[in-house]
């Protein structure tokens, strides 16, 4: 995928860096205090085209390559996580599923709307299932009256559900579990469809301003055109392919936020004095700074590699998982060191370090926990080895 002209893209990144520094970071305290992004900022992000970064230009988007979109995410993730979260499902998962599995009619209907800034959510996880699709309880049954489907079930921890105008909902279309998860299909469901209810936003450890909630489906009637790709049994395949992009987004966000935390620690270490000199002069503080810099650089290199492979058309499932695992765990280690560098101040809400620590914790959990992704990486390693034997 060629993406935006490189020179234009670098100009866009420069503009975005200024926007993050001059507009988003100063707004963080308001986002935290009110647990919401100001409407004016959401509209500015729409006007900048952030909701349609990967939508093809002919449908109103920016047409970015995977490498370019990951750089945008990393740049935005330098600010509070909510700013990335509000557009990330559009860009990383919903749009990817439409691209990989949507019919021409579905692309024509939804891509312009997504590019214009309608917010999407992605309904895979349930109270009793996440990565375990065999336990999925949400059902989609043919509408007895003719064309269409009736959906019933509950989705849990759905990012952006309180703000979304459309959801990509995974549902069981076959009673029995089938090989390769062919019992799961994907449906494009407008959130104002009768029978769709969104629960109250959950209270979370961190990530203020980013909202998750349950989505309850009670006898939700959708037309036959709602079935992604027009074919049953392909939903899980589309979901997993789009999760590759979602994992790249989380990896890029982890990398950008780790950089923000380290910059904060570097500033604090040069200003804070002990024993008559800045603590940055002490070698054990320097060790923590250097280890963090080294790990962030490694994640940046992984991001550049996996996104280049994605743009070249390679199957990146294993490498996207590896990048997400490393970058999210790396971010956790960096923010832990940052709290330590801040010392007692790092435990106080008055300073940024404790917020970085809380915000970063979710990166190791969503879009596949570290442990699930390690199992997935190993499974594919063993499968590839067996195929070569």
């Amino acid at each position: 995928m060629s993406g935006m002209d490189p020179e234009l893209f670098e100009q866009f990144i420069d503009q975005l860096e200024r926007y993050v520094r001059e507009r988003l970071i100063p707004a963080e305290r308001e986002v935290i205090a009110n647990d919401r992004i100001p409407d004016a900022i959401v509209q500015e992000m729409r006007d900048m085209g952030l909701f349609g970064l990967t939508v093809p230009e002919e449908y109103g988007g920016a047409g970015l390559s995977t490498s370019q979109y990951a750089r945008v995410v990393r740049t935005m993730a330098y600010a509070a996580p909510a700013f990335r979260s509000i557009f990330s499902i559009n860009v990383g998962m919903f749009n990817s599923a439409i691209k990989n599995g949507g019919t021409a009619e579905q692309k024509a209907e939804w891509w312009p709307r997504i590019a214009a800034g309608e917010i999407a959510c992605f309904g895979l996880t349930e109270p009793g299932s996440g990565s375990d699709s065999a336990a999925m309880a949400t059902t989609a049954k043919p509408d007895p009256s003719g064309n269409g489907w009736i959906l019933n079930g509950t989705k849990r921890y759905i990012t952006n559900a309180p703000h979304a105008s459309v959801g990509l909902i995974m549902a069981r279309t076959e009673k029995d579990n089938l090989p390769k998860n062919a019992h799961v299909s994907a449906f494009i469901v407008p959130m104002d469809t009768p029978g769709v209810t969104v629960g109250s936003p959950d209270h979370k450890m961190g990530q203020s301003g980013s909202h998750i909630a349950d989505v309850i489906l009670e006898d939700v009637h959708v037309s036959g055109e709602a079935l992604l790709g027009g074919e049953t049994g392909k939903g899980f395949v589309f979901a997993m392919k789009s999760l590759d992009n979602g994992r790249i987004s989380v990896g890029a966000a982890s990398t950008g936020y780790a950089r923000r935390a380290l910059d904060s620690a570097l500033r604090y270490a040069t200003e804070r004095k002990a024993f008559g000199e800045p603590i940055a002069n002490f070698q054990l503080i320097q060790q923590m700074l250097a280890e963090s810099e080294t790990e962030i650089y490694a994640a940046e290199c992984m991001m550049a590699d996996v996104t280049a492979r994605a743009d070249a058309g390679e199957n990146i499932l294993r490498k996207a998982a590896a990048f997400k695992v490393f970058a999210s765990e790396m971010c956790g280690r960096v923010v832990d060191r940052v709290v330590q560098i801040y010392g007692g101040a790092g435990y106080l809400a008055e300073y940024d370090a404790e917020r970085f620590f809380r915000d970063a914790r979710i990166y190791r959990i969503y879009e596949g926990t570290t442990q699930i992704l390690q199992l997935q990486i190993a499974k594919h390693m063993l499968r590839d080895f067996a195929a070569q034997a």
Side-chain angles (χ1 to χ4, degrees), residues 126-137:
E126 298 184 2
S129 74
S131 303
D132 177 16
S133 70
M136 184 175 291

Side-chain angles (χ1 to χ4, degrees), residues 239-309:
M240 290 303 100
K241 284 186 177 179
S242 61
L243 279 174
D244 287 345
N245 265 10
R247 286 160 186 165
I248 286 173
S249 180
V250 174
S254 301
T255 305
Y257 209 48
R259 175 63 66 190
R260 167 72 182 284
L262 181 57
D263 285 350
S264 172
L266 198 57
R267 188 180 309 111
Y268 185 82
T270 56
E271 294 171 354
R272 172 78 164 91
K273 291 187 176 180
F275 306 103
E277 59 182 313
I279 63 172
N281 290 354
F282 303 144
Q283 288 181 339
L284 290 179
I285 297 291
Q286 291 176 2
Q287 180 190 28
M288 288 189 281
L289 294 172
E291 285 180 341
S292 298
E293 174 68 22
T294 301
E295 290 197 86
I296 292 171
Y297 177 51
E300 289 170 346
C301 291
M302 289 180 78
M303 186 180 95
D305 179 72
V306 71
T307 56
R309 290 174 182 273

Side-chain angles (χ1 to χ4, degrees), residues 53 172 199 241 267 276 323 365 379:
L53 291 173
R172 175 185 288 274
K241 284 186 177 179
R267 188 180 309 111
F323 170 50
I365 296 172
K379 180 179 76 173

